[in-house]
Amino acid sequence: MANYVDLVDLIVRRLVTKPEEVSVAEERSEAGAILITIRVAADDIGRVIGKKGSTINAIRHVAKAASIKSGEKVDVDVKED
């Protein structure tokens, strides 16, 4: 089983200007799906989402690619503090 929190945290901290304000949390549903929630400073939300959502979609693709071997369903969401 991959550690999706560490993977997403590594990527997001490299993107933002305030890496100390980044927090990544994992929540598992009863059905077995994993939701990764990213919280960043208001100034950095645009950097994480990207133009037309391209950056967050790329992060989602990386997380899903990491989950293929274990067969888990992973989704990534961004929340603004």
Side-chain angles (χ1 to χ4, degrees):
M1 182 170 79
N3 191 339
Y4 306 110
V5 172
D6 287 346
L7 175 66
V8 172
D9 186 67
L10 176 73
I11 295 168
V12 173
R13 285 185 190 273
R14 308 264 176 179
L15 291 173
V16 298
T17 58
K18 298 178 183 174
E20 66 278 356
E21 294 189 31
V22 172
S23 72
V24 180
E26 176 181 308
E27 186 177 318
R28 292 181 182 260
S29 72
E30 291 178 14
I34 301 169
L35 176 63
I36 305 296
T37 305
I38 304 168
R39 294 190 184 276
V40 296
D43 299 344
D44 290 326
I45 195 84
R47 291 179 186 272
V48 174
I49 294 173
K51 269 190 183 172
K52 298 182 182 178
S54 61
T55 305
I56 190 63
N57 284 336
I59 294 170
R60 287 178 178 138
H61 283 300
V62 169
K64 286 180 183 179
S67 72
I68 288 174
K69 197 171 196 178
S70 63
E72 297 172 313
K73 183 182 180 328
V74 177
D75 194 22
V76 180
D77 195 18
V78 179
K79 303 283 184 189
E80 183 179 345
D81 278 344

